[in-house]
């Protein structure tokens, strides 16, 4: 297997890890005011992701760095053409991180309420914009013969892209609700379970609709099979949630997100930036790749450090695996 293909698979795997893990972070942040009805409950909701949210964002950093190193032309075209949505994602993630860290710095309900609002916005906006971004990667964008983006912001907001944004957001919210049901107790757990059962149907319909449209645009047999299994995993997760088997439910939604993202990457390959103007202007893995020597060095580095990072993150999840209880919080 050529190293360009190997690194396309590695980058796809990094994005899968990011969306599976950061996906429930986005869902929990979106549901902060929906599931948490008062300050003690919202404190408990935040505590479920407190030890892991920043570690989950490492997957995004590594994915971006790997793209820059292995496929610099892809990185340049993507970040120049999608500058505004990617910049908005960056700002939203920064503000969300600040709000998560500073929420408990003052015993003031007004202060915490404002931080909760920032957390919610900083969770919804990236989920929606990532959906738009990946929908456009599947659909294609206007590229000239130099692989330069020649479209406008409006070209990124097609009906298919907007559906992608809504579908990504919906499935992350369902994923987050199931995570809350898995990690909490009492009324908070019951409320999260009920919400996941009801909203999960909406998320499933939107996700299946988006995948069907994506496969019609770029799909093949392999991506169609993966998308079909993803849909089945999502339904199985929702069924498990109704039977109060939150562990299996979370595994189902995680598998569904992972397989759905994998299906999108399989449908894209070998094109990383399809051109809607001229097929000859489509940017492929070969066109975008670094030199073979660079890819070889990157492969050695990845083989050494990737297992260590994954072991550390797995250890973190194991340490903080216990359910979170709602406890009274004294505020002035």
């Amino acid at each position: 297997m050529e190293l360009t293909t190997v690194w396309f698979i590695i980058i796809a795997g990094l994005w899968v890890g990011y969306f599976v893990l950061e996906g429930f972070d986005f869902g929990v942040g979106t549901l902060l005011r929906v599931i948490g009805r008062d300050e003690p409950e919202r404190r408990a909701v935040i505590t479920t992701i407190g030890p892991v949210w920043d570690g989950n964002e490492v997957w995004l950093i590594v994915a971006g760095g790997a793209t820059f190193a292995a496929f610099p032309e892809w990185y340049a075209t993507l970040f120049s053409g999608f500058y505004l949505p990617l910049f908005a994602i960056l700002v939203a993630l920064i503000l969300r991180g600040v709000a998560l860290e500073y929420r408990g710095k003052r015993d003031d309900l007004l202060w915490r309420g404002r931080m909760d609002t920032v957390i919610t916005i900083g969770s919804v906006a990236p989920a929606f914009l990532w959906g738009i971004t990946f929908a456009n990667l599947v659909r294609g964008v206007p590229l000239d013969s130099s692989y330069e983006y020649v479209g406008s912001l409006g070209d990124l907001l097609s009906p298919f892209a907007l559906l992608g944004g809504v579908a990504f957001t919906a499935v992350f919210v369902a994923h987050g609700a199931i995570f809350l049901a898995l990690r909490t107790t009492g009324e908070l757990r019951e409320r999260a379970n009920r919400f996941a059962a009801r909203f999960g149907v909406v998320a499933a319909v939107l996700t299946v609709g988006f995948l069907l449209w994506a496969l019609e645009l770029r799909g093949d047999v392999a991506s169609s099979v993966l998308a079909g299994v993803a849909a089945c995993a999502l339904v199985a997760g929702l069924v498990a949630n109704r039977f109060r088997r939150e562990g299996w439910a979370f595994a189902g939604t995680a598998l569904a997100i992972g397989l759905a993202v994998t299906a999108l990457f399989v449908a894209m390959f070998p094109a990383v930036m399809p051109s809607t103007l001229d097929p000859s202007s489509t940017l492929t893995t070969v066109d975008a790749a670094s030199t073979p020597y660079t890819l070889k060095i990157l492969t050695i580095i990845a083989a050494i450090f990737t297992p260590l990072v994954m072991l550390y993150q797995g250890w973190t999840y194991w340490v903080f695996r216990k359910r979170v209880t709602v406890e009274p919080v004294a505020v002035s």
Side-chain angles (χ1 to χ4, degrees):
M1 184 182 297
E2 294 183 357
L3 285 179
T4 53
T5 303
V6 170
W7 272 95
F8 181 84
I9 294 172
I10 291 174
I11 289 172
L14 291 171
W15 281 109
V16 167
Y18 174 67
F19 284 132
V20 168
L21 298 176
E22 188 80 327
F24 70 73
D25 281 352
F26 290 149
V28 170
T30 302
L31 295 173
L32 177 58
R33 290 180 175 273
V34 177
I35 304 298
R37 302 292 174 79
D38 53 27
E39 172 56 26
E41 289 186 346
R42 291 172 186 166
R43 178 71 174 270
V45 169
I46 292 296
T47 302
T48 62
I49 62 172
V52 298
W53 69 266
D54 49 354
N56 293 341
E57 289 189 351
V58 171
W59 290 80
L60 173 61
I61 297 171
V62 177
T67 304
F68 174 78
F71 299 103
E73 188 69 40
W74 184 12
Y75 182 93
T77 302
L78 177 64
F79 278 78
S80 60
F82 293 66
Y83 177 80
L84 288 177
L86 292 179
F87 180 74
I89 289 172
L90 177 61
V91 172
L93 291 177
I94 291 173
L95 292 176
R96 186 184 69 133
V98 170
L100 285 168
E101 292 292 340
Y102 278 74
R103 183 184 187 277
K105 298 300 183 182
R106 292 174 59 181
D107 289 333
D108 181 4
L109 286 177
L110 181 60
W111 167 264
R112 293 181 178 180
R114 289 171 178 170
M115 294 299 102
D116 290 345
T117 300
V118 175
I119 292 170
T120 301
I121 296 173
S123 299
V124 174
F128 182 74
L129 292 172
W130 279 130
I132 287 179
T133 299
F134 272 80
N136 278 292
L137 290 178
V138 173
R139 173 178 172 266
V141 292
L143 298 181
D144 62 16
S145 58
S146 301
Y147 307 126
E148 293 289 336
Y149 180 79
V150 293
S152 63
L153 179 61
D155 292 317
L156 302 178
L157 302 177
S158 66
F160 174 67
L162 294 175
L163 175 61
V166 174
F168 267 56
T169 305
V171 76
F172 289 160
V173 170
H175 191 41
I178 290 175
F179 178 78
L180 284 174
L182 176 66
R183 291 295 317 282
T184 55
T185 61
E187 179 58 29
L188 203 60
R189 177 187 179 187
E190 297 288 340
R191 198 178 301 140
N193 186 280
R194 290 194 300 268
F195 181 90
R198 297 169 183 170
F199 187 79
V201 177
V202 177
V205 171
L206 290 170
T207 302
V208 170
F210 171 69
L211 289 175
L212 287 175
W213 196 345
L215 294 174
E216 183 181 354
L217 293 174
R218 297 284 303 281
D220 54 16
V221 175
S223 58
S224 298
V225 171
L226 287 169
V229 178
C232 292
L234 180 57
V235 173
L238 296 177
V239 171
N241 179 72
R242 285 189 175 274
F243 285 95
R244 303 293 301 276
R245 301 297 298 271
E246 288 100 347
W248 287 107
F250 183 76
T253 54
L255 182 62
I257 293 172
L259 289 175
V261 175
T262 302
L264 296 180
F265 273 96
V266 170
M268 288 168 53
F269 185 80
V272 292
M273 293 286 286
S275 175
T276 57
L277 298 180
D278 184 356
S280 63
S281 300
T282 292
L283 183 62
T284 66
T285 54
V286 175
D287 299 322
S290 295
T291 64
Y293 180 75
T294 300
L295 295 178
K296 183 178 180 179
I297 296 299
L298 290 174
T299 304
I300 296 172
I301 295 173
I304 295 173
F305 290 101
T306 301
L308 297 177
V309 173
M310 295 183 69
L311 284 172
Y312 170 76
Q313 192 160 33
W315 175 80
T316 302
Y317 276 92
W318 176 256
V319 169
F320 296 101
R321 68 189 182 278
K322 293 183 179 180
R323 290 182 180 268
V324 175
T325 58
V326 177
E327 299 179 357
V329 178
V331 294
S332 58

